[in-house]
Amino acid sequence: MIKNIFFDMDGTLLNMDEEEFVKVYYGLLAKKLAELGYENAKELAKIILGSSKIMAANDGKKLNSEVFFDYMKKTLNFTKEELEAPLQNFYETDFNKAQVTTSKIEGMDAAIKTLKSKGIRLFLTTNPMFPKVAIVERLHWAGLDENDFDYIPSYDTCRFAKPNPGYYEDVIKNFNLNPSETLLVGNDYEKDIIPAFKLGLRSYYLTQDNIDKKVDLVGTHKDFMEFVNGIK
């Protein structure tokens, strides 16, 4: 019986042209930093975007945000106090212009509503490499809302990132979930499905490709919506 569902976001709840998104995101961030008076704004924006690799390697001793700001201090000599407010301002304002590189996945917002009506607990498990305001903004692009989920991650609350199973394990422990009653829905086999298997979670692999990989359930977004309607 499924009582809990973990949802990836990009490619799962939200269509995204990743290459175009990074390009637009970088341009917007560099422009904002320049407006705020930061010298070498383009280089700073490039390093901020590249910090995801540092957070992905986090060993869990610090929060992802602490790892991020430590890296900023080490590479650019900027303190958290100097960068946190400008970044928050950016994510609250100009970041939403990057929405043009994304599109809603028709029917997924309805699927979320249906699952909630059936009493299933929903957890957003997108990679926690942004402040919460940025993650919630991307949810809006998908036609969803913060209140649709029992849990939303951020780099301020998480100490691991995908594909480290510790990321999902922390959610399981913090909410006292039974892995066998928990389904993970994602479109990335390496980052979503493999860590789920390691923890005993069930998985739904969203893909249009024919696969020969180990997975509990597999199908397109349309197939998943039919699956949701069939849950009792």
Side-chain angles (χ1 to χ4, degrees):
M1 182 177 182
I2 297 173
K3 294 184 178 180
N4 322 290
I5 299 182
F6 288 2
F7 277 98
D8 171 52
M9 181 147 56
D10 300 329
T12 298
L13 297 175
L14 178 69
N15 280 323
M16 175 180 285
D17 182 330
E18 185 172 351
E19 184 176 337
E20 188 64 18
F21 170 74
V22 170
K23 179 180 177 181
V24 172
Y25 174 28
Y26 167 74
L28 291 169
L29 180 57
K31 181 180 178 182
K32 187 66 174 182
L33 292 170
E35 290 174 355
L36 293 170
Y38 283 85
E39 296 182 5
N40 300 318
K42 290 184 178 180
E43 183 64 21
L44 175 55
K46 181 179 180 180
I47 291 174
I48 289 173
L49 267 63
S51 65
S52 59
K53 293 182 180 179
I54 305 300
M55 287 183 276
N58 190 3
D59 62 5
K61 295 177 182 178
K62 295 183 178 181
L63 293 172
N64 288 344
S65 59
E66 293 176 309
V67 170
F68 170 77
F69 286 112
D70 284 350
Y71 180 63
M72 290 297 103
K73 177 66 175 177
K74 179 180 178 181
T75 56
L76 296 166
N77 202 32
F78 279 114
T79 65
K80 177 180 179 180
E81 290 71 24
E82 290 173 311
L83 274 179
E84 189 171 34
L87 287 177
Q88 182 79 7
N89 176 270
F90 167 73
Y91 289 120
E92 290 176 349
T93 56
D94 290 9
F95 180 63
N96 64 18
K97 296 176 183 176
Q99 182 179 358
V100 297
T101 65
T102 71
S103 63
K104 286 180 59 176
I105 298 177
E106 294 301 324
M108 287 302 283
D109 52 347
I112 293 294
K113 300 292 191 295
T114 299
L115 290 168
K116 285 183 68 68
S117 72
K118 295 184 177 188
I120 295 174
R121 301 180 73 186
L122 307 180
F123 300 79
L124 184 67
T125 52
T126 187
N127 231 344
M129 296 182 178
F130 295 90
K132 185 176 180 180
V133 61
I135 292 174
V136 171
E137 178 64 28
R138 284 161 55 222
L139 269 181
H140 294 164
W141 301 349
L144 297 166
D145 185 81
E146 180 177 359
N147 295 324
D148 290 325
F149 295 87
D150 292 78
Y151 168 79
I152 293 179
S154 77
Y155 73 175
D156 290 310
T157 59
C158 297
R159 58 196 182 96
F160 294 109
K162 300 180 186 183
N164 193 322
Y167 171 45
Y168 300 114
E169 188 173 24
D170 276 353
V171 180
I172 292 169
K173 289 180 178 179
N174 291 340
F175 288 89
N176 194 29
L177 306 180
N178 183 337
S180 66
E181 298 174 341
T182 304
L183 177 73
L184 183 143
V185 182
N187 70 312
D188 189 310
Y189 193 81
E190 301 296 325
K191 293 182 179 179
D192 298 322
I193 309 304
I194 290 179
F197 273 122
K198 289 181 178 179
L199 296 173
L201 297 169
R202 299 170 66 187
S203 60
Y204 196 114
Y205 182 31
L206 287 171
T207 181
Q208 299 185 51
D209 301 329
N210 294 321
I211 64 166
D212 57 0
K213 298 176 180 178
K214 182 179 179 182
V215 65
D216 293 306
L217 299 164
V218 62
T220 64
H221 281 88
K222 182 178 179 181
D223 295 330
F224 177 73
M225 294 167 202
E226 294 175 357
F227 167 77
V228 166
N229 290 331
I231 295 176
K232 304 298 183 182

